[in-house]
Amino acid sequence: MSSPTSESVIVCSQSGPLSGKVTVPGAKNSVLKLMAATLLADGVYELRNVPDITDVDYMTDLLVALGLDIERIDRYCLRIVNSGRISPVAPFALADRIRASVNVLGPLIGRFGDVQLALPGGDDFGGRPIDMHLSGLEAMGAQFDITEDGVVGRATGRLKGADITFAFPSVGATENILMAAVVADGVTTISNAAREPEIGDLCAMLRSMGAHIDGVGTSTLVIRGVSPASMQSCVHEVVSDRVQAATYIAAVAMCGGDIDVLRAVPGHMEMLLTRYADMGMSILPIDDGLRVSCHQRLSSVDVATLPYPGIATDYKPLLVAMLATADGTGIVTENLYPGRFRYIEELQKLGADISVDGHHAVVRGREHLVGATVVAPDIRAGAALVVAGLAAQGMTEIHDVHHIDRGYDNLVGRLASLGGSINRIG
Ligand code: EPU
């Protein structure tokens, strides 16, 4: 793990109760794929409710290198122009910065029959293979070579519709096959497809562009390919970010208080909200989001991460932080990424009593955490450390905040507006 650097630092001290309203921005894990989808058809696109995060900037750099024109016409709106001059070669230095760079694979091989892409980067949770992306596209007629520089793919003529069954409902593989299948010749069926709300959002945008997709929201997607020339550009609003919503709820869980989380979509986070309620929180739907209250110490629960509609792995650092001050012992089981426990040593610096055994973490709740200097190892763990820092006695400094900036739109400003004692320095 890196040591603190000279970049910005987030400093927080014990806060609460929190109060007020916070508006949840658009979802990182949707917008990056929606941006990739604009490779599929020429025209002028407008994406609204785009979060102001560095992963959007990284994706912009990658897509501009491929030939798109992209401009932020206001803080939350991107105008993307695809004038048909696409070079399907994604430079290593740009593709390596984010996992979602792999999402150009489907549109490029689907529309142009040609792609060169460095193996994607992103958070380091251990191995993050793309075998299901490649084998699905191969079933449709693409051929791939893995070279020292990454993946080189080609197809002769249009890809052909195929029946594809995933061994695991991979989010990225579902998205890539979807984007290739909408312009393939014939019908593609994806069985055991991922069902995340962000995939529903991608399907909605692809339908606005002229795609034929059935089964949206289920684990069987049926895509009837259309000719690439019949696809068109569109205007689309990005779905709300359920992980950012969960973060503000976790802040109330740890600091106490009453807040409204506007634009949170309860139907996208049902299992998590049930877990939060089991821990003792009151969470009620309101007109445009959720009303969240917490006035007592939380009770511990056990949690296991699972693909949607299960409890997402991205929520887990928040849950571990909440359990660190809950009453009792909770066991958290990670079923997606074996390496996603690296932030635990940082929570231990705040006094958390956590032991890790394989893919289980045993969290024994303490009455209080105590401020310390910690390092954000990735996006979600960084946010969990911020939330824990707001609840800890004394002062907490969080370093390596560039990880948090990749996925959180003004986390510090939003928490400060709720009464959190938090600042960003530098
Ligand atoms: N997997 C394979 N082979 C594949 C694809 C996936 O073995 O071909 C395995 C992965 O190694 C991993 C698991 O399947 O163990 C999950 O991978 P998945 O493809 O479902 O995830 P992803 O598309 O790489 C997205 C999000 C992650 C989020 C996961 C799971 C983006 C850019 N990333 O990753 O978000 O954790 O789905 O919900 O959408 C984050 O936002 O902080 C983040 C890490």
Side-chain angles (χ1 to χ4, degrees):
M1 185 168 302
S2 57
S3 40
T5 63
S6 58
E7 65 163 319
S8 300
V9 174
I10 295 175
V11 180
C12 40
S13 46
Q14 195 170 25
S15 307
L18 302 180
S19 63
K21 297 178 196 295
V22 64
T23 302
V24 180
K28 165 181 89 77
N29 288 347
S30 190
V31 68
L32 302 174
K33 329 303 172 63
L34 304 177
M35 291 171 74
T38 67
L39 289 164
L40 281 167
D42 297 355
V44 180
Y45 297 79
E46 207 171 286
L47 292 182
R48 299 179 181 160
N49 197 32
V50 172
D52 189 3
I53 55 175
T54 49
D55 269 15
V56 166
D57 301 337
Y58 292 154
M59 194 66 173
T60 297
D61 291 346
L62 174 63
L63 294 174
V64 166
L66 294 174
L68 300 179
D69 282 322
I70 305 184
E71 188 191 353
R72 229 182 228 277
I73 52 177
D74 69 38
R75 180 156 179 213
Y76 295 111
C77 185
L78 284 187
R79 183 169 176 274
I80 302 181
V81 181
N82 182 340
S83 44
R85 290 187 295 275
I86 302 296
S87 147
V89 181
F92 174 82
L94 301 179
D96 183 49
R97 297 196 290 192
I98 45 171
R99 174 75 181 171
S101 59
V102 76
N103 282 107
V104 302
L105 202 61
L108 288 178
I109 194 84
R111 183 170 176 202
F112 302 102
D114 199 4
V115 61
Q116 285 182 45
L117 175 73
L119 286 172
D123 291 316
D124 178 11
F125 305 138
R128 294 178 74 178
I130 58 166
D131 52 306
M132 286 191 272
H133 303 235
L134 301 184
S135 59
L137 293 167
E138 279 169 352
M140 301 173 73
Q143 290 181 309
F144 292 97
D145 293 316
I146 308 285
T147 69
E148 266 187 4
D149 300 325
V151 184
V152 180
R154 75 207 74 79
T156 312
R158 273 172 82 188
L159 294 181
K160 301 265 181 287
D163 289 340
I164 296 164
T165 301
F166 288 138
F168 171 89
S170 156
V171 171
T174 301
E175 292 161 340
N176 259 331
I177 305 303
L178 250 174
M179 287 193 272
V182 294
V183 289
D185 182 13
V187 176
T188 299
T189 303
I190 310 176
S191 302
N192 200 21
R195 288 186 273 166
E196 273 69 1
E198 296 75 27
I199 290 180
D201 200 26
L202 175 61
C203 289
M205 174 158 156
L206 291 169
R207 281 170 157 174
S208 309
M209 293 169 66
H212 293 281
I213 307 169
D214 287 327
V216 177
T218 76
S219 53
T220 306
L221 293 171
V222 180
I223 306 116
R224 188 155 45 83
V226 298
S227 114
S230 72
M231 295 280 283
Q232 68 215 5
S233 59
C234 67
V235 174
H236 184 83
E237 177 156 324
V238 181
V239 71
S240 265
D241 192 319
R242 59 201 165 101
V243 192
Q244 292 193 62
T247 304
Y248 297 107
I249 301 174
V252 175
M254 294 199 71
C255 300
D258 304 89
I259 67 166
D260 287 353
V261 185
L262 303 177
R263 303 202 68 170
V265 183
H268 290 174
M269 40 200 313
E270 275 177 20
M271 294 251 189
L272 178 75
L273 297 183
T274 302
R275 250 348 188 199
Y276 279 169
D278 292 343
M279 295 177 83
M281 303 196 68
S282 155
I283 304 179
L284 298 172
I286 53 173
D287 263 0
D288 187 24
L290 291 168
R291 179 153 297 159
V292 179
S293 309
C294 188
H295 294 285
Q296 82 275 4
R297 189 175 178 201
L298 299 175
S299 306
S300 289
V301 292
D302 296 336
V303 186
T305 63
L306 282 172
Y308 193 85
I311 292 181
T313 173
D314 295 343
Y315 299 134
K316 194 192 55 183
L318 297 168
L319 287 159
V320 172
M322 287 162 65
L323 288 170
T325 54
D327 185 14
T329 298
I331 298 175
V332 180
T333 303
E334 169 62 48
N335 287 315
L336 276 88
Y337 297 118
R340 207 171 194 181
F341 273 129
R342 293 189 317 143
Y343 56 94
I344 280 181
E345 64 189 82
E346 302 301 307
L347 281 171
Q348 287 165 337
K349 291 179 191 162
L350 299 175
D353 181 354
I354 308 173
S355 47
V356 177
D357 181 6
H359 64 135
H360 307 287
V362 180
V363 190
R364 292 178 191 83
R366 289 238 154 112
E367 294 252 356
H368 300 289
L369 297 178
V370 181
T373 296
V374 294
V375 178
D378 63 67
I379 306 173
R380 311 303 177 188
L385 288 165
V386 169
V387 168
L390 282 179
Q393 291 176 334
M395 194 182 284
T396 297
E397 268 188 26
I398 297 108
H399 291 255
D400 278 10
V401 301
H402 61 271
H403 288 295
I404 299 172
D405 294 338
R406 286 189 43 208
Y408 279 85
D409 182 324
N410 192 17
L411 179 66
V412 169
R414 283 184 162 82
L415 287 170
S417 77
L418 297 173
S421 184
I422 180 165
N423 270 304
R424 182 175 179 130
I425 298 169

